[in-house]
Structure formats: C-alpha cells, structure tokens
Amino acid sequence: MYSSYKDWDSFSCFFSAEYSQLFLKKCYKLLHTSDVDTKSYQNCYPFIYFLEHGKLYYQQALNSPINIQPVLLFYGFVHLIKACLLTIDPAYPSSTSVLAHGVSTRKRKKQQYLFFKDEIKIQKNGLFACMSENMFKLPSIEGEKFNMGELLKQIPELNDLFHIFTGSPTFLPVTLSSTEATIPSKVLDSYFMSQGRFQQYLEDQLGNPIKGISTNKTSLNISFSDSLQPAAPFYFHVTDAQYYIPVEKRSVQLPEILVHYLLLYNLSMIARYEIEWWSELMKTMPNQDYPYIESFLSIAAKKGPQLIFQFLANKM
C-alpha cells in the first residue's frame, strides 16, 4: 500500500552519498547489471543532484505567484523523474534523443481557446516515451492525443470540483486493505461490464490474481491473492488519505505520474509562450478553466513529490 510520506523529509535518506550508492546498487542488482559497484558509485551524485534540484524548484514554486508556478513545478517534476530513471537505467541519459520533452502542443492558440479542449500529442522519442517504457513498461503510444479535460478527470483530488461543475463525480471511494478491496457495485454499470469481466479487468490492470468476490446491494468485496500495490485503477487522494476508482473506464489508462507530466508540460508552455491568454485568465477568471488550473497546481505541488517518493520507496 501507500508508503508513509512526510513531505520532503521523506527524501532525507537519499541526501547521503553512502546510502544512495547502496540504494542504487540494490536497484542495479535486480536489473542484473554488470559492474554494479562502479555504476552505483558513478550515479549516486547525479541521483542526489536530480532530487536536490527538483526540491529547489518545488520550494520556489510554493513561494511564487501562480503565474510562474507551472514552469517551476514542471521542471521540478522533470528532475525528480530523472532521478527515478537512474534507478532503472544506469546509462541514463544514453542518447540526446531522451532529453527532449517527448510531447508537443499547438504553438499558437486559436481564438476562443479553452484549456479543457486543448490537446497534447505524444512523440516517438523523448522523456515521456523513456519514462513510460522504462518506469511503467507501457507500449508505445506515439501519435496518441490527450485533451486537457480528459487528463484533469484522472486527478482524484479534482473529484469534488467536477462534481460541483458537472453534477457528476469522476471518482468513487474504495476501501483497500493489504489484500482486499471494497468497490461500489455501480462501477459494473458505468464500466459496462459483468462481474466476471470486471474481475478479469482488475487482474489485468494490477497483475494480481483474485481469489474471490462476494457482493451485496451496494458493493463488491474482492479478495486478492497477493498484497495490493498502489496502481491504476486505484488512485490515492492525498487530501482525503483514501483510495478512489474512476467512475468511467478509460481507453488509455495512464499512471498518475504521466498524467501530471502532461498537464504540467502544457501549462508550463502556456505560461511561457501564451502570455496574453495566461495573464487574462489570471486576472479575469472568465470561465471554469481557472478553478481547475489553480486547483491542479496546488495539488501538483504536494502530490508530485509524493508520487516520486512512492516510486522510489517501492525499490527500497
């Protein structure tokens, strides 16, 4: 389940070259990498510096006006991601192609532009492809497009805001223990699945066999063979300290780190290059874009480091 996280204090152990070298050595042994002593020694300081630089960006973001927060949060997140990549690829960055962002957006926004409708496109190479393949073992989704509304719906902490504006929640609360989950039975209707098909879906998503399911009028009580790990379709809500499941099944189920990356990338591009629209949004708050963006940035400042720590903690 979710490892205990206490803000940046949770990263303190990594700000020791001795500990970080031992941590990387453990990671590289699991990869069956040759010469783990040399590679863990060579990478321990870059690993620390990525985390340290990321922390500085996040600390500056918390003390900066919202106008420039997307840029600071995005680059802080990028540095934390690079630290993660060093735990699974001792040669990172192995080529200049992985240094690009790996995604693109429309350079010039059209009139009547709405952030919710804006799209981001996945490129063949770059950081997005590198982390989706290496960190999450996902197949390539080159050319896939995501609009911002779809991505915002994948942030569980925005559930209440969606409920207010649309009248419908985007997530439903679930109860998880070490090997059991209690899920509202209404997901069977919203996912258009039978109980058997939903069981297969969960097993495919989690890689965890289900021993049995019991049902009542409102919930499915599911028993798993192995310990549950924090992974889609279960999302941790940092404010409620509770797990949720999306109301709707998504055609492409992205890990939350990737969702944060895509949203922060686009917002950072807008904050840098669409100054007129961005400034007007900050000053006039004309529509629903502002509350969603403001809320997401507040969430990202807290949850981004927590998502990264969870990824690293699973290797400790």
Side-chain angles (χ1 to χ4, degrees), residues 54-268:
K55 178 181 177 180
L56 290 172
Y57 270 108
Y58 274 91
Q59 289 175 332
Q60 287 302 308
L62 291 173
N63 296 312
S64 299
I66 189 173
N67 305 61
I68 60 173
Q69 282 181 12
V71 179
L72 296 170
L73 291 173
F74 175 68
Y75 283 106
F77 201 45
V78 164
H79 281 88
L80 299 185
I81 288 167
K82 289 179 178 180
C84 292
L85 288 170
L86 268 183
T87 69
I88 48 184
D89 181 4
Y92 178 83
S94 57
S95 69
T96 56
S97 66
V98 302
L99 297 177
H101 293 131
V103 291
S104 61
T105 59
R106 184 186 297 276
K107 292 296 186 291
R108 297 289 299 175
K109 308 303 181 186
K110 296 179 178 179
Q111 287 187 336
Q112 307 301 318
Y113 167 77
L114 291 173
F115 179 74
F116 248 63
K117 301 294 184 182
D118 199 6
E119 289 186 332
I120 192 164
K121 185 177 180 180
I122 309 303
Q123 303 296 320
K124 181 179 181 179
N125 298 310
L127 182 57
F128 184 89
C130 182
M131 63 177 166
S132 61
E133 177 183 343
N134 291 296
M135 291 172 63
F136 303 108
K137 307 303 178 187
L138 297 180
S140 172
I141 53 171
E142 178 191 354
E144 188 85 30
K145 292 181 180 180
F146 297 92
N147 73 45
M148 297 300 102
E150 292 171 348
L151 294 172
L152 289 169
K153 285 181 179 179
Q154 298 185 47
I155 304 297
E157 292 81 5
L158 293 177
N159 186 49
D160 288 345
L161 198 58
F162 273 100
H163 203 170
I164 291 169
F165 280 128
T166 69
S168 301
T170 50
F171 284 84
L172 295 171
V174 301
T175 302
L176 300 185
S177 65
S178 59
T179 59
E180 295 183 347
T182 301
I183 302 173
S185 55
K186 64 176 69 175
V187 301
L188 297 179
D189 293 330
S190 62
Y191 281 37
F192 301 101
M193 290 183 181
S194 64
Q195 182 176 304
R197 176 67 187 90
F198 184 68
Q199 175 177 337
Q200 185 63 54
Y201 168 74
L202 285 181
E203 290 180 333
D204 291 344
Q205 289 291 308
L206 298 169
N208 193 344
I210 291 175
K211 291 197 297 185
I213 298 181
S214 62
T215 62
N216 57 40
K217 290 183 179 180
T218 60
S219 63
L220 305 170
N221 303 304
I222 305 170
S223 177
F224 291 87
S225 298
D226 303 317
S227 296
L228 285 168
Q229 298 299 319
F234 299 133
Y235 291 75
F236 188 71
H237 192 302
V238 294
T239 307
D240 292 354
Q242 182 176 349
Y243 282 91
Y244 284 75
I245 189 170
V247 170
E248 299 176 353
K249 179 180 176 294
R250 302 185 177 102
S251 56
V252 179
Q253 189 87 53
L254 292 178
E256 204 167 353
I257 285 177
L258 300 184
V259 175
H260 274 245
Y261 180 86
L262 294 177
L263 285 165
L264 287 174
Y265 170 80
N266 199 19
L267 285 168
S268 71

Side-chain angles (χ1 to χ4, degrees), residues 284-304:
T284 65
M285 307 175 191
N287 53 38
Q288 296 176 12
D289 281 352
Y290 180 84
Y292 280 109
I293 290 171
E294 189 273 337
S295 296
F296 170 70
L297 291 174
S298 177
I299 293 160
K302 300 173 185 176
K303 197 171 188 181

